[in-house]
Amino acid sequence: MSERSAQTTDLFIIGGGINGCGIARDAAGRGLSVALAEMNDIASATSSSSTKLFHGGLRYLEYFEFRLVREALVEREVLLRAMPHIAWPMRFVLPYHKDMRFESDTPTSRLLSLAMPWMKGRRPAWLIRLGLFLYDTLGGRQILPGTRTLDLRDTPEGAALKLHFAKAYEYSDCWVEDSRLVALNARDAEIRGARIMTRSKVLSAQREGDLWRVETQNTETSAKTVHYARMLVNAGGPWVGDIIQTKLRSNSQDGVRLVRGSHIVTRKLFDHGKCYFFQGTDGRIIFAIPYETDFTLIGTTDAEHDDPSVKPECTPEERDYLLNFANQYFAEDLSAEDVVWTYSGVRPLYDDGASSATAATRDYTLKVDKAGGAPLLNIFGGKITTYRRLAEAAMDKITAEVPASKGAWTAGVALPGGDFPVDGVAALVAELRDTYPFLTEAWALRLVRAYGTDARHILAGAGAVPDLGQDFGATLSEAEVTWLMEHEFARTAEDVIWRRSKLGLRLSADQVATLEAWMAEQRAQMRAAAE
């Protein structure tokens, strides 16, 4: 067999974020042969730096993006059923006051200013309630409860807020563990036959007749490999434009707009499990969300980010903006000393010519390029909530060029570990604690929220804590890390404590160093065994 025929796949995907891994899973499940290359760890960029919400995008209604909002609202419940371990319903509290304002350039703001100039950009209560009515009805609801009006006086929701907030609207959206979502899609893609190559940088991609020739380099070993594919998918996220220009050397006129979203994590600010939706006098919104039991997540900003090679970081100005925004609502003022961690991600939005980063569309755009031979699909934009629908839309374009043996299949199919009822978390925690009595409630819940039914495989055969091997701290065991390395592509301590989990918030520097050394030894053993 020739080198070319031996290495030819139907699909080669560049990028191991949620779009790339979602497409890989869908394509592999339809019978296509798939290879995916990610230059770092999966979910190492945008897909691990979101606000962790599966939401329809309430504020997008002000931009009249009804199709995007409806699609996202429908997907919330589809995805809740497929991943009840890493996604769950959450109630959102939207405090109301008369000074709430639009961003001046939203279509709704412009329309209201023409019809009611005396409003001067304010968001009236009736308009907010109309938006929430649309939010409740556009996508249909079977699991999530609808909107209600909330009296904030003498309630847990009002206790954390300034006294002049007496009324709020409470509506439903969902939480998601974003980087775990990517890991589970990648894992399921591999189970279905896809080849997932992390730490594999694409050096070049060029057409050779009806095939793509792609050269990759392993960033750990420096080994180079040539791959051939019938179709190429550019799901490079923030690097999608750079890949078009420098790797593919394409003359495409489609552009990407990089928008940085920064977040801060503080000590726990309130004693209930609901999220706050805060509206500022500048028309922007932020969320304050219960996070990892003992913390509060606040975000996000919208700022232009020029260069994808520059790692996004929460600037002091963005941190202070978020703190000052939150201080307009919380009774107790926050300062920089309350911030325990910050993170920032870059959204690769399709450049639609919008006047500001906030106004740029969050919808996805798919562009097929067949000039010169083998087809190419470039992926722009997208929301984590609609990743599955984006993958289906991508597959419509892919299968028009590379026919598949099966049709759409992902709706209603659980991700690994998600094969239990939406309301079954408590029962699964109880089962684990009954089978493994050494587990504390918090430990069992963490495992269920990360792995679902796969937690049984991680714990299999253990009769006591020492049976799980080395203890790295914060309930992270050798058995769990081994699972992550063997089944979820983890290679370093950072992969484990900041993407497969958020245990980095709880581990000391010495504990992290111990974990890193242990994983380095395991990698060396794995390489030796493969030789």
Side-chain angles (χ1 to χ4, degrees):
M1 183 179 290
S2 70
E3 179 190 58
R4 174 173 295 196
S5 63
Q7 297 185 0
T8 299
T9 57
D10 292 319
L11 210 59
F12 192 99
I13 300 170
I14 304 174
I18 189 55
N19 290 341
C21 292
I23 293 169
R25 178 190 183 228
D26 195 333
R30 298 190 194 212
L32 296 182
S33 55
V34 179
L36 180 148
E38 163 56 48
M39 63 180 175
N40 298 306
D41 181 30
I42 54 173
S44 59
T46 305
S47 295
S48 59
S49 302
S50 76
T51 314
K52 325 297 181 191
L53 298 178
F54 262 164
H55 64 120
L58 181 60
R59 75 177 183 86
Y60 304 150
L61 292 175
E62 294 182 2
Y63 293 91
F64 300 159
E65 296 212 41
F66 297 112
R67 188 211 62 79
L68 173 63
V69 174
R70 183 183 183 280
E71 182 174 274
L73 291 173
V74 171
E75 277 297 282
R76 289 183 314 183
E77 300 205 2
V78 172
L79 296 173
L80 280 174
R81 291 185 173 92
M83 53 190 78
H85 47 334
I86 63 167
W88 54 88
M90 185 174 283
R91 294 293 279 175
F92 286 66
V93 176
L94 193 165
Y96 177 76
H97 62 87
K98 60 182 177 60
D99 293 326
M100 289 178 173
R101 310 188 78 82
F102 293 98
E103 264 210 315
S104 60
D105 61 353
T106 69
T108 300
S109 178
R110 292 194 295 268
L111 184 62
L112 205 63
S113 295
L114 288 173
M116 301 177 180
W118 60 88
M119 294 300 298
K120 297 182 179 178
R122 290 196 300 271
R123 280 187 180 104
W126 65 263
L127 187 66
I128 293 173
R129 193 63 187 86
L130 174 61
L132 288 167
F133 170 77
L134 291 173
Y135 207 67
D136 280 346
T137 57
L138 273 175
R141 291 176 294 105
Q142 295 180 351
I143 299 173
L144 301 173
T147 298
R148 71 185 184 109
T149 301
L150 186 66
D151 187 342
L152 293 175
R153 294 168 295 188
D154 299 320
T155 63
E157 296 87 350
L161 303 179
K162 294 184 186 299
L163 290 176
H164 67 270
F165 293 106
K167 174 183 177 181
Y169 300 105
E170 183 180 296
Y171 68 98
S172 291
D173 257 322
C174 304
W175 174 267
V176 65
E177 300 287 355
D178 55 1
S179 50
R180 289 213 52 72
L181 175 63
V182 183
L184 295 181
N185 271 271
R187 180 174 172 232
D188 202 35
E190 185 179 64
I191 290 170
R192 297 174 189 277
R195 184 183 179 194
I196 307 296
M197 299 173 288
T198 62
R199 273 78 180 187
S200 294
K201 185 175 184 178
V202 172
L203 300 178
S204 64
Q206 59 191 42
R207 290 179 170 100
E208 290 190 356
D210 59 354
L211 293 176
W212 280 96
R213 181 187 185 276
V214 184
E215 184 177 14
T216 62
Q217 183 173 37
N218 186 297
T219 58
E220 292 180 331
T221 65
S222 297
K224 295 180 180 179
T225 307
V226 173
H227 314 262
Y228 290 91
R230 296 177 180 86
M231 187 168 184
L232 186 68
V233 176
N234 175 10
W239 291 270
V240 62
D242 180 68
I243 290 168
I244 290 172
Q245 295 172 9
T246 65
K247 302 297 190 296
L248 308 179
R249 302 190 182 281
S250 169
N251 294 320
S252 170
Q253 298 302 306
D254 295 305
V256 64
R257 185 171 193 166
L258 302 181
V259 177
R260 185 175 68 252
S262 294
H263 304 76
I264 59 175
V265 175
T266 71
R267 57 181 173 79
K268 187 175 182 178
L269 301 179
F270 44 88
D271 292 321
H272 58 80
K274 298 176 183 179
C275 168
Y276 289 108
F277 179 118
F278 293 153
Q279 303 181 84
T281 55
D282 62 354
R284 293 209 66 253
I285 64 99
I286 64 169
F287 298 99
I289 313 170
Y291 190 60
E292 296 292 319
T293 307
D294 301 316
F295 306 94
T296 298
L297 170 64
I298 300 174
T300 179
T301 60
D302 277 316
E304 303 287 354
H305 192 84
D306 296 329
D307 187 349
S309 66
V310 175
K311 183 178 179 179
E313 295 182 350
C314 180
T315 65
E317 292 77 17
E318 288 176 301
R319 178 202 63 199
D320 292 344
Y321 171 82
L322 293 172
L323 288 170
N324 292 334
F325 201 142
N327 284 338
Q328 296 173 33
Y329 283 84
F330 285 122
E332 183 181 352
D333 273 358
L334 300 170
S335 68
E337 287 68 38
D338 293 304
V339 177
V340 299
W341 182 51
T342 68
Y343 69 90
S344 187
V346 175
R347 307 180 193 97
L349 308 180
Y350 185 67
D351 191 353
D352 60 354
S355 59
S356 70
T358 302
T361 182
R362 267 54 176 174
D363 208 347
Y364 53 80
T365 300
L366 311 178
K367 296 280 189 173
V368 174
D369 176 4
K370 295 189 285 185
L376 161 70
L377 175 62
N378 291 312
I379 310 288
F380 300 92
K383 284 165 45 69
I384 198 166
T385 314
T386 53
Y387 89 90
R388 192 195 65 83
R389 290 296 301 272
L390 182 152
E392 286 189 333
M395 289 307 301
D396 288 341
K397 295 184 178 295
I398 290 166
T399 55
E401 308 297 333
V402 185
S405 60
K406 301 175 184 177
W409 64 276
T410 56
V413 176
L415 284 167
D419 51 338
F420 65 97
V422 171
D423 59 355
V425 168
L428 188 51
V429 169
E431 176 200 314
L432 286 184
R433 295 198 69 197
D434 183 59
T435 307
Y436 305 99
F438 57 84
L439 292 176
T440 64
E441 180 77 15
W443 188 357
L445 179 60
R446 184 183 73 78
L447 292 175
V448 168
R449 281 302 189 196
Y451 307 103
T453 55
D454 279 341
R456 299 165 180 157
H457 300 301
I458 295 172
L459 298 167
V465 172
D467 295 335
L468 297 175
Q470 187 167 342
D471 177 8
F472 298 107
T475 72
L476 181 65
S477 67
E478 179 180 326
E480 183 176 353
V481 178
T482 299
W483 171 271
L484 292 172
M485 295 185 75
E486 293 181 350
H487 299 281
E488 293 194 14
F489 314 99
R491 304 286 290 170
T492 68
E494 182 181 353
D495 299 348
V496 170
I497 67 172
W498 290 118
R499 284 184 285 277
R500 307 309 185 277
S501 74
K502 289 297 181 286
L503 292 175
L505 290 166
R506 304 183 186 280
L507 293 175
S508 69
D510 286 345
Q511 289 172 319
V512 174
T514 299
L515 173 62
E516 185 64 75
W518 185 88
M519 293 183 71
E521 183 179 347
Q522 295 303 114
R523 291 197 304 273
Q525 293 177 10
M526 291 166 68
R527 282 195 296 269
E531 292 175 354

